[in-house]
């Protein structure tokens, strides 16, 4: 029972961390599974399951609130159930993936339930805003977190209770060895899904040749992953230096803009800190289908509105103004828009604050999601998962630190910069810089992916063919390993072909990720069970 409660509390924190502060991005399966392994007393098991699911989830994010497989719960539940399974670690990992993947897919059906409940709550917040009731507004904002965590915490608790009994071990002991062998192969193929989905989001037709740099560095020069990352940084810096043709975002000019620099500051540093703290710790906990991030934005702005508008009617109008639809990247974009809105409200130009939000939230969402989620996250979590698959705790520790420090600093800098410089510089200069960052991150992403694909997608063929030759007049039959011939042709050819095949399913056949995962798992189980393919060559001798 204590383990079940601990896993449930961990699931609650993981959900919250992915909605608000992003301290270690615990919602990612690498982090969620690794800590779940510690809780159940099988740290290596949690590392391996979390890392495998992490690589399958690359490029899959809730852009615009889209529902995706619940990899967080899948990693926790899979680790909990696998810990009670029979067999060695490799067999337990196969069982964990066999449970975690279907659980992630099935539990995604509960995600809309939580969002629908939160959507109903935002209308109650409208009533509190109309009354100028700040406490009521804050209450609804924080209560909205409950349905988000409930749809993940309840299944986690029930699965953890089931894992505490001996039933799991009895069931898994009867699972055929061929299925375990097949799931092991499927687990090694799943990273191809994440890589393919990621490539589908990037400008592959423009930058495809950059993949060759990373591939050659790994396959032929044997450069480690960190070295490939450094090569990618060098190439990205070269691109950004030589090509500065990315346009800046345009922000509509308004008649009120000239007033913003002539108004004396009325806000204190404490007011600004309070606004940023609210946004940092709870920006998306009240996300809903109708207004998305609006309630979180209004909650963050409330201290400023209370200070600037002593008249209740003006205060109420400010709350209602910021309760309108709002959605952007919470890491790159949201703090910038928040700081700009605070500056414009202080300048007495509320219409400019509203128009700036509308003008910036779309473009900043595109830049922020690309730079942070599609590229930066994918790179650091791929490196972390790679180390975790080797049994090293450096993997999740590296990913957690690379989230905690940069995410906090970048958000704080954006907010302060936008507040100090106002609308013009925040809209034009920062956007142009971010556009160049986006281009550099894209280049870096392609170089790194070129090395990650052959190093992480593990598959070889165990098939052989026999050839008969005549030696001194006598026929001699030789068994030739097909994998040896493939390696002579191009090293790591099968991982590349598998990833390319999955990419075609995403880009050409346009199958949903759930179906692609199902195809890869079924194919992996079948081919592994038959013994035709494996994650690594069989031991010789």
């Amino acid at each position: 029972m204590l383990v079940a409660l601990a896993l449930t509390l961990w699931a609650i924190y993981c959900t919250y961390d992915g909605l608000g502060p992003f301290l270690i991005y615990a919602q990612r399966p690498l982090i969620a599974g690794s800590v779940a392994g510690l809780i159940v007393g099988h740290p290596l098991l949690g590392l391996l399951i979390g890392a495998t699911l992490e690589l399958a989830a690359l490029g899959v994010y809730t852009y615009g609130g889209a529902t995706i497989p619940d990899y967080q719960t899948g990693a926790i539940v899979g680790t909990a159930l696998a810990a009670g399974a029979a067999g060695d670690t490799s067999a337990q990992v196969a069982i964990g993936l066999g449970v975690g993947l279907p659980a992630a897919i099935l539990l995604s059906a509960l995600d809309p339930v939580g969002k629908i409940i939160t959507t109903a709550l935002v209308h109650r917040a409208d009533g509190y805003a109309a009354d100028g009731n700040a406490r009521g507004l804050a209450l609804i904002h924080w209560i909205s977190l409950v349905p988000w965590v409930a749809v993940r915490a309840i299944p986690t608790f029930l699965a953890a209770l089931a894992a505490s009994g001996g039933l799991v071990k009895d069931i898994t002991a009867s699972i055929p060895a061929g299925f375990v062998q097949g799931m092991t192969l499927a687990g090694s193929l799943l990273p191809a899904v994440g890589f393919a989905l990621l490539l589908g989001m990037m400008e592959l037709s423009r930058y495809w040749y950059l993949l060759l740099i990373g591939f050659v560095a790994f396959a032929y020069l044997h450069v480690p992953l960190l070295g490939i990352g450094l090569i990618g940084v060098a190439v990205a810096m070269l691109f950004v230096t030589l090509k500065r043709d990315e346009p800046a975002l345009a922000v509509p000019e308004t008649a009120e803009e000239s007033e913003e620099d002539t108004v004396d500051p009325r806000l204190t540093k404490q007011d600004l800190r309070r606004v940023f703290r609210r946004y940092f710790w709870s920006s998306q906990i009240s996300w809903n289908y109708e207004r998305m991030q609006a309630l979180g934005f209004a909650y963050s702005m409330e201290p400023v509105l209370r200070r600037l508008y002593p008249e209740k009617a003006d205060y109420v109008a400010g709350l209602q103004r910021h309760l309108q639809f709002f959605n952007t990247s919470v890491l790159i974009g949201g703090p910038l828009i928040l700081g700009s809105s605070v500056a414009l409200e202080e300048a007495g130009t509320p219409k400019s604050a509203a128009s700036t939000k509308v003008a910036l939230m779309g473009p900043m969402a595109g830049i922020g999601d690309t730079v942070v989620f599609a590229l930066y996250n994918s790179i650091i979590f791929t490196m972390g998962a790679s180390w975790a698959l080797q049994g090293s705790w450096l993997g999740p520790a590296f990913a957690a630190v690379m989230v905690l420090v940069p995410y906090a600093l970048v958000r704080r800098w954006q907010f302060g910069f936008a507040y100090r410089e106002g609308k013009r510089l925040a809209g034009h200069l920062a956007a142009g810089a971010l556009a160049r960052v986006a281009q550099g991150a894209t280049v870096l992403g392609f170089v790194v992916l070129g090395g990650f694909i052959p190093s992480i997608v593990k598959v070889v063929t165990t098939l052989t063919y026999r050839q008969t030759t005549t030696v001194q007049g006598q026929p001699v039959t030789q068994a030739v390993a097909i994998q040896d011939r493939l390696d002579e042709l191009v090293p790591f050819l099968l991982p590349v072909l598998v990833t390319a095949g999955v990419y075609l399913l995403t880009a050409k056949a346009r199958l949903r990720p759930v179906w692609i995962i199902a195809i890869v798992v079924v194919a992996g189980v079948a081919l592994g069970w038959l013994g035709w393919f494996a994650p690594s060559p069989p031991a010789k001798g």
Side-chain angles (χ1 to χ4, degrees), residues 45 54 57 68 114-115 204 232 235 277 288 316 329 332 335 340 410 439 479 482 497 521 529 534:
L45 185 63
E54 179 65 53
I68 63 172
K115 293 176 181 177
L204 184 61
V235 175
R277 281 199 304 265
N288 58 85
V316 168
S329 170
I332 295 182
S340 180
V410 166
Q439 183 188 40
I482 295 178
L497 292 178
V521 170
W529 199 329

Side-chain angles (χ1 to χ4, degrees), residues 43-77:
L44 179 59
L45 185 63
L47 271 178
L48 298 177
I49 292 175
T52 302
L53 290 179
E54 179 65 53
L55 294 170
L58 287 178
V60 181
Y61 289 92
T62 54
Y63 301 112
T67 295
I68 63 172
D70 188 356
Y71 291 108
Q72 165 202 309
T73 308
I76 297 174
V77 168

Side-chain angles (χ1 to χ4, degrees), residues 59 64 113 158 274 288 387 422 458 485 514 540:
V113 176
L158 296 176
R274 187 178 295 119
N288 58 85
W387 287 323
K458 304 289 188 181
R485 296 293 176 263
V514 169
K540 295 182 179 180

